[in-house]
Amino acid sequence: MEVLAVVTNEFGGPAIGLDYLIGTAGTYYVVASNTTLGNSGPYNVRVRDYNVYEPDNAAAAASNITAGVPQTIRAFTNEWDVDYAQFTATSGHYYGVSMTDHTLYAILSLVDTNRTTVLGAATNDPALLQYDLNLFYRATTTGVYYVRVEGNSIPDPQRGFYTLTVTDYGAGDAYEVDNDFGAASNIAPGAIQTHTIHWPNDADFVKFPAVAEHVFRVEVTNFSCQVSLYLLDADGITPLIADDNLFGFGDDVLIAEYVLPLNATYYAGVYGSGYDDGAYELLVTDQGAFGADPYEPDNRPPGAKS
């Protein structure tokens, strides 16, 4: 009988265990023996088949994962285990990768078709009740992409089970890619546009021309998800005013209204809540010149009245 692996607790400890990758199907034997003369007592033996995806410790050995089909009972089979999965992505489609159903300290990475370039990574901290890991990416080429999952051994070596899921969110609406102000789509005041939060952390940006000292209103209506609406300054970054319907609170219409001081291009951003996705309608309207009172114009320091 050939000995394949050995572990001992001769220096004490409540439990011992070992992992071994079986190369040939058949009957195997576990042998427990006493290492100290005169020492006796009961003990328990448990044999577990960790998962069917091993060996998957390198991109070249990655197991296949189908978008929309969760892979359960994946596992870190030892303290240094690394798991790879691969999926075929379509250029222009948005994909989400998630690691759930675990309490592990982990690092989740998305790797490009070249098996080397890391396109995104996420870590968690279960000590702060942060468990699930999520990544989102828009595929720029059609091909095979890779998911890498590894234990973050900084606090402790990690062993245990988890679920891995890849989601194909499709190509997006007609305004994508519009995920930051630099890629904002145009919206004409008075025109209604239907946009979509394609994944929970998606964001949509629009830009529009403004007339100085006019009141502009941005409205989000007919939404089927939780979002935050921001009217942004001409730099596309500075928020001027905001509204949201997070956690089910808020009106049926989100409104951001502001007197815009310059003849310039301004921006609006609609941000997903991180919890759900869905469509909404967006409208920008020019409400006309700000109503003058005896002190106008006094919207900027040079126009201040005594």
Side-chain angles (χ1 to χ4, degrees), residues 21-70:
L21 181 62
I22 299 297
T24 304
T27 300
Y28 289 77
Y29 300 87
V30 177
V31 178
S33 60
N34 195 344
T35 59
T36 304
L37 293 176
N39 192 21
S40 62
Y43 63 92
N44 296 319
V45 175
R46 179 174 62 173
V47 177
R48 292 184 292 179
D49 183 355
Y50 276 104
N51 65 59
V52 298
Y53 308 106
E54 298 287 351
D56 59 353
N57 300 335
S63 58
N64 292 304
I65 185 169
T66 302
V69 181

Side-chain angles (χ1 to χ4, degrees), residues 121-197:
T123 61
N124 65 346
D125 188 349
L128 300 178
L129 303 182
Q130 299 170 355
Y131 300 108
D132 294 353
L133 291 170
N134 296 282
L135 292 172
F136 300 95
Y137 183 75
R138 179 178 182 269
T140 55
T141 59
T142 296
V144 176
Y145 289 75
Y146 299 85
V147 180
R148 174 186 170 102
V149 187
E150 58 190 307
N152 185 351
S153 61
I154 293 176
D156 290 296
Q158 298 298 298
R159 296 177 64 184
F161 297 94
Y162 65 90
T163 297
L164 185 66
T165 306
V166 173
T167 303
D168 183 349
Y169 290 100
D173 55 38
Y175 306 103
E176 296 289 351
V177 182
D178 59 352
N179 301 332
D180 58 61
F181 79 92
S185 59
N186 293 300
I187 186 170
I192 298 177
Q193 293 182 349
T194 300
H195 289 253
T196 304
I197 297 296

Side-chain angles (χ1 to χ4, degrees), residues 173 175-176 178-179 185 187 192-199 202-206 218-229 245 252 254 268-272 277-283:
D173 55 38
Y175 306 103
E176 296 289 351
D178 59 352
N179 301 332
S185 59
I187 186 170
I192 298 177
Q193 293 182 349
T194 300
H195 289 253
T196 304
I197 297 296
H198 296 288
W199 64 86
D202 191 14
D204 299 330
F205 285 78
V206 297
V218 183
E219 299 177 43
V220 171
T221 60
N222 296 322
F223 40 78
S224 58
C225 58
Q226 300 177 59
V227 294
S228 297
L229 167 65
N245 68 334
D252 295 333
L254 303 184
V270 180
Y271 299 80
D277 52 77
Y280 62 90
E281 291 184 346
L282 184 66
L283 172 65

Side-chain angles (χ1 to χ4, degrees), residues 78-124:
N78 58 58
E79 289 86 343
W80 305 276
D81 193 17
V82 177
D83 297 335
Y84 278 86
Q86 63 181 20
F87 65 96
T88 299
T90 302
S91 179
H93 280 216
Y94 290 89
Y95 290 87
V97 180
S98 62
M99 178 186 180
T100 58
D101 304 327
H102 68 94
T103 57
L104 301 164
Y105 289 83
I107 303 171
L108 175 68
S109 303
L110 179 62
V111 181
D112 206 352
T113 56
N114 61 12
R115 299 182 177 178
T116 302
T117 305
V118 176
L119 302 172
T123 61
N124 65 346

